[in-house]
Amino acid sequence: METGKVVVERAGGKSTATHCFSKYPLKFIIPNKVGPSQADAVWIYTIIDGGGIVSACTLSISLHKEMFGDGCTTVLTTQASTKCSEQVLEARIGSDALLAVIPDPVTCFSTAKYSQTQVFKVFPSSSLLIVDWITSGRYGRGEKWDFELYKSTNNIF
């Protein structure tokens, strides 16, 4: 079940978000301006409502070829660490397009189970940057590597 979808296309000679859909617990924030006016990039912030990793929460984001259309530049980032226990991201990056996936690190709470699958379909002329990182847990609370499961799979085709 799809939780969110964003489409980025060339419009007026610039990368532009032309469609945005999300449902609880996911929200997208797409600011009108990030960086200098000559910068041609769409920044998408994902926000997940809730506190801590929620075991019943599954997040599925589909980012189809239209999202990262030919010649578009898109940055997908987060406002804080994830709150869902399972995340699936599927993205198609158009030719001569750039996608940078730069989230906050995953921070698993004590006994948490977290699973993530990311699937990227790229053209030979596409560019993709992925940051996939994790912390040891809530260090200040003594939760050092105290989670039950962390699984992250990245597939690039």
Side-chain angles (χ1 to χ4, degrees):
M1 175 169 53
E2 189 174 77
T3 310
K5 178 180 178 179
V6 178
V7 176
V8 175
E9 301 172 290
R10 300 288 301 170
K14 296 187 76 167
S15 299
T16 306
T18 59
H19 177 78
C20 179
F21 157 79
S22 63
K23 66 181 180 179
Y24 184 83
L26 175 67
K27 293 180 185 175
F28 292 117
I29 293 179
I30 305 173
N32 289 329
K33 181 167 170 50
V34 177
S37 60
Q38 65 271 21
D40 179 23
V42 173
W43 282 71
I44 302 168
Y45 292 85
T46 60
I47 298 173
I48 301 165
D49 289 336
I53 290 189
V54 180
S55 62
C57 175
T58 299
L59 181 66
S60 177
I61 304 173
S62 294
L63 309 173
H64 300 281
K65 179 182 176 192
E66 301 85 38
M67 173 182 182
F68 307 113
D70 295 346
C72 289
T73 299
T74 307
V75 178
L76 182 63
T77 189
T78 55
Q79 192 178 35
S81 345
T82 186
K83 307 292 187 277
C84 288
S85 61
E86 181 179 353
Q87 290 192 168
V88 177
L89 171 65
E90 295 181 44
R92 294 180 59 106
I93 299 105
S95 63
D96 299 317
L98 164 65
L99 171 62
V101 180
I102 313 170
D104 284 274
V106 174
T107 302
C108 293
F109 290 20
S110 176
T111 71
K113 295 178 182 176
Y114 177 80
S115 175
Q116 167 182 282
T117 302
Q118 299 184 121
V119 179
F120 301 96
K121 296 180 181 173
V122 299
F123 284 87
S125 63
S126 303
S127 296
L128 175 63
L129 168 73
I130 305 169
V131 177
D132 187 2
W133 56 332
I134 181 174
T135 68
S136 64
R138 297 186 303 178
Y139 189 83
R141 294 186 178 206
E143 297 175 2
K144 299 174 208 144
W145 306 109
D146 198 21
F147 45 89
E148 289 186 24
L149 172 72
Y150 175 82
K151 180 181 177 184
S152 181
T153 305
N154 293 298
N155 295 302
I156 301 171
F157 301 98

